[in-house]
């Protein structure tokens, strides 16, 4: 059943909450299909207080929480300009991360987060929204395709020492 979701920007004061949520959703999503060593090697670098403080202070990155009845149930990370992990096209927006807690998945919370990203890009007159998704993450790939994203490339992604392939997907905004 779809639920109505509030979306609010994450601030520095939320850094601890964001870190806990990021680690939890990352491990819940990918530990079943990856080695614990590779997961921890990645997480120990990507999910640290110092890294999050730096990312929250970057004016070209924004995090937003999704809330249902006041409870935080997911988040999205948006990158602009040089904060984008690659391409760094100033007319594009990157969705670097989008995660919904397991218990809340399938209720259109992810859809509301990605719609928010698309609306944000349109409001800033950007021309596209893009993201990288693990080639074996079929659920997320199906989810992005349902929003009109199409594959435009791929790139290697290091999960610890495990070299994986991310599919790059893009939604072009200025067709109509
Ligand atoms: C991918 C993710 C953000 C989607 O969020 P969500 O709230 O579960 O998705 P929604 O309920 O908004 O569903 C949107 C669409 O996704 C697809 N979808 C959702 N749940 C699905 C499921 N269990 N199986 C297959 N497709 C599904 C459907 O196409 C759905 O469209 P519909 O509502 O018209 O049927 C969420 O599942 C998640 O956090 N996954 C783990 C982390 C992850 O993989 N993040 C992406 C990294 S690139």
């Amino acid at each position: 059943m779809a639920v109505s979701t509030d979306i609010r920007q994450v601030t520095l004061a939320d850094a601890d909450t964001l870190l806990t949520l990021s680690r939890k959703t990352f491990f819940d999503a990918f530990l079943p299909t990856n080695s614990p060593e590779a997961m921890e090697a990645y997480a120990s670098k990507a999910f640290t207080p110092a890294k999050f403080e730096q990312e929250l202070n970057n004016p070209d990155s924004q995090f937003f929480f999704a809330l249902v009845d006041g409870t935080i149930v997911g988040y999205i990370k948006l990158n602009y300009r040089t904060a984008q992990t690659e391409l760094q096209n100033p007319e594009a927006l990157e969705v670097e991360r989008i995660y919904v807690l397991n218990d809340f998945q399938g209720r259109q919370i992810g859809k509301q987060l990605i719609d928010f990203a698309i609306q944000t890009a349109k409001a800033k007159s950007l021309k596209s929204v893009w993201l990288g998704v693990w080639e074996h993450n079929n659920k997320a790939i199906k989810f992005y395709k349902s929003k009109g994203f199409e594959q435009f490339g791929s790139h290697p992604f290091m999960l610890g020492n495990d070299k994986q392939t991310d599919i790059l997907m893009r939604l072009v905004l200025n067709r109509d």
Side-chain angles (χ1 to χ4, degrees):
M1 192 186 69
V3 288
S4 166
T5 306
D6 293 317
I7 295 176
R8 79 153 169 91
Q9 189 162 0
V10 179
T11 69
L12 256 186
D14 302 305
D16 289 349
T17 306
L18 178 66
L19 185 58
T20 305
L21 178 68
S22 301
R23 275 192 70 94
K24 176 172 175 45
T25 50
F26 173 72
F27 278 90
D28 285 351
F30 298 118
L31 189 57
T33 44
N34 288 279
S35 85
E37 294 76 21
M39 291 289 293
E40 194 49 53
Y42 177 83
S44 66
K45 292 207 174 107
F47 303 133
T48 67
K51 192 94 196 305
F52 272 55
E53 191 181 327
Q54 186 193 341
E55 292 179 9
L56 283 163
N57 276 325
N58 186 338
D60 285 345
S61 289
Q62 292 177 316
F63 292 83
F64 295 87
F65 285 138
L67 298 100
V68 172
D69 296 332
T71 300
I72 295 167
V73 296
Y75 77 100
I76 190 167
K77 182 181 182 201
L78 309 181
N79 291 331
Y80 308 88
R81 296 173 282 272
T82 56
Q84 294 173 90
T85 56
E86 62 180 89
L87 307 176
Q88 294 165 350
N89 175 354
E91 295 188 310
L93 179 154
E94 177 190 12
V95 175
E96 186 184 349
R97 295 191 191 129
I98 176 169
Y99 285 86
V100 174
L101 285 169
N102 277 354
D103 287 352
F104 289 84
Q105 287 178 15
R107 297 198 221 168
Q108 305 206 338
I109 296 166
K111 197 179 245 178
Q112 290 170 75
L113 281 171
I114 202 88
D115 283 343
F116 174 80
I118 294 165
Q119 290 312 319
T120 301
K122 284 185 178 166
K124 292 178 185 291
S125 303
L126 300 178
K127 296 204 170 134
S128 63
V129 179
W130 72 275
L131 51 86
V133 54
W134 187 29
E135 61 177 339
H136 299 303
N137 192 349
N138 294 328
K139 182 176 165 183
I141 292 169
K142 188 176 164 208
F143 166 68
Y144 299 132
K145 280 188 179 161
S146 77
K147 296 305 304 178
F149 282 77
E150 292 173 1
Q151 179 171 358
F152 70 97
S154 63
H155 72 176
F157 173 82
M158 292 306 295
L159 187 78
N161 290 329
D162 185 6
K163 188 173 176 191
Q164 306 189 338
T165 300
D166 271 4
I167 293 173
L168 302 179
M169 300 184 81
R170 175 165 52 207
L171 176 71
V172 176
L173 299 175
N174 60 351
R175 279 188 187 143
D176 46 18

